[in-house]
Amino acid sequence: MNKIKGELSFLAFILLIPLPGIPQEISLPKCNHQFIVIAHRGDHTNAPENTLAAFQHAIDVGVDFIEIDLRTTKDSQLVIMHNMSVNQMTGYDGNIKDILFDSLRQIKVRDKLHSGWGVHLIPSFSEVLKLCHGKINIYLDFKDASAEAAYKEILRAGMEKNMVVYINEQHQFTEWRKIAPQMPLMMSLPKVVGTKQAMTQLLDVLKVDVLDGSYDEYNSATILAAKEKHVPVWADIQSASEGIDDWDKAMALGLAGLQTDHPQALIDYLKKKGIR
């Protein structure tokens, strides 16, 4: 009940946001494929998640987007890590926001289940942008950072046309619309939206460019409504056990893309289906 109230509060908040000057149409990054494959935290089937190696693997297998998680160090440097704490990926205690960048670079990322994958640096945002430039698009999960600081780095790297920003909090929506009105923004589908009418009403007022959220929270009617509003649905399907049965169910809904933990396997599946 509290979560539903929170979702309704978020929607009510967005309805009150003054958004002068927003372009009528915001262009999504160009892709070579109709069906979008997003590598969740990179391709971490051969390297620890959210590392340069995982991102390079995603590039090598032909993924359309890598999903990365942006955070800020104690000295305002932008880095990539999913959790606010470094513990899970490094074995050290501490939160990103409390650690200086130079100290953070001394802490190495490793995968506890795959020691053979070696140790890796926590990447800076600028390193990821440089690696991806001209090769792959970025799905930026905007965890804890300044939109202004992030956009400066994006512009410096020439990646402003290769980025979609996932919004986690109310203020992020406002900040990005003011700072970079042409930047495509994404948010998850509120669980209170379960019919075509509800989806249509949502998208009439919510000026979002892409929808996210678990694939099993959608149905054919809500996806049809999103298509009619020209808002693609790139749903989450990532899990350790995801496979053909899950992909078949998701594809039957008419989704425009999937975020996966198994990008190579999903791409192979799409090729066999004649979709890629």
Side-chain angles (χ1 to χ4, degrees):
M1 184 67 176
N2 289 338
K3 190 166 186 180
I4 291 176
K5 284 182 179 179
E7 289 172 342
L8 290 172
S9 175
F10 184 25
L11 295 180
F13 170 84
I14 289 173
L15 294 180
L16 297 175
I17 296 175
L19 299 173
I22 292 180
Q24 291 298 310
E25 286 193 28
I26 295 176
S27 298
L28 294 176
K30 292 182 180 179
C31 295
N32 295 325
H33 310 100
Q34 276 194 321
F35 190 87
I36 303 302
V37 174
I38 302 156
H40 180 231
R41 307 179 198 172
D43 180 1
H44 49 93
T45 59
N46 294 288
E49 66 179 45
N50 269 329
T51 60
L52 292 178
F55 302 146
Q56 184 62 58
H57 284 307
I59 292 168
D60 292 343
V61 302
V63 168
D64 300 292
F65 283 80
I66 56 166
E67 184 263 356
I68 67 175
D69 302 280
L70 192 66
R71 294 192 177 276
T72 308
T73 66
K74 186 175 181 179
D75 49 346
S76 302
Q77 300 301 302
L78 299 178
V79 297
I80 309 302
M81 182 165 284
H82 179 264
N83 296 335
M84 68 174 66
S85 168
V86 300
N87 180 265
Q88 181 177 339
M89 295 306 299
T90 70
Y92 290 85
D93 289 325
N95 293 331
I96 295 283
K97 67 182 180 66
D98 299 321
I99 304 174
L100 296 170
F101 179 75
D102 287 346
S103 298
L104 196 69
R105 296 287 271 191
Q106 303 304 312
I107 303 171
K108 300 299 190 294
V109 171
R110 65 198 75 222
D111 190 299
K112 296 175 184 177
L113 300 178
H114 301 92
S115 59
W117 291 357
V119 296
H120 302 258
L121 293 174
I122 296 172
S124 67
F125 189 34
S126 60
E127 287 173 332
V128 177
L129 292 168
K130 182 178 179 180
L131 175 69
C132 295
H133 184 265
K135 302 171 187 174
I136 197 168
N137 298 312
I138 293 177
Y139 169 146
L140 185 64
D141 192 338
F142 202 69
K143 285 292 198 313
D144 180 21
S146 154
E148 183 177 6
Y151 192 51
K152 282 181 180 178
E153 290 207 20
I154 291 167
L155 289 174
R156 192 177 299 122
M159 286 287 286
E160 65 273 16
K161 295 185 183 299
N162 301 97
M163 191 81 48
V164 171
V165 177
Y166 177 84
I167 298 301
N168 284 285
E169 298 180 21
Q170 297 172 357
H171 69 89
Q172 294 174 353
F173 191 98
T174 313
E175 289 171 7
W176 276 101
R177 283 300 190 222
K178 288 181 178 178
I179 290 167
Q182 291 279 1
M183 180 64 68
L185 300 183
M186 174 193 296
M187 66 172 281
S188 292
L189 178 73
K191 290 184 174 62
V192 293
V193 177
T195 66
K196 183 178 181 183
Q197 181 181 12
M199 178 68 90
T200 300
Q201 290 174 341
L202 172 72
L203 296 179
D204 277 342
V205 295
L206 178 62
K207 303 308 180 184
V208 71
D209 308 296
V210 188
L211 282 170
D212 173 73
S214 179
Y215 80 98
D216 55 9
E217 295 173 357
Y218 288 89
N219 57 56
S220 298
T222 54
I223 290 174
L224 177 59
K227 284 182 178 178
E228 290 177 352
K229 291 294 183 181
H230 307 290
V231 176
V233 178
W234 299 347
D236 299 338
I237 202 165
Q238 66 266 16
S239 74
S241 61
E242 71 177 272
I244 291 175
D245 289 345
D246 304 296
W247 299 333
D248 279 339
K249 291 177 185 176
M251 295 297 295
L253 293 172
L255 296 164
L258 285 171
Q259 182 176 187
T260 176
D261 278 336
H262 303 276
Q264 179 68 75
L266 177 55
I267 287 171
D268 290 345
Y269 160 87
L270 293 172
K271 287 179 177 177
K272 288 180 181 177
K273 299 278 284 187
I275 299 170
R276 196 178 184 89

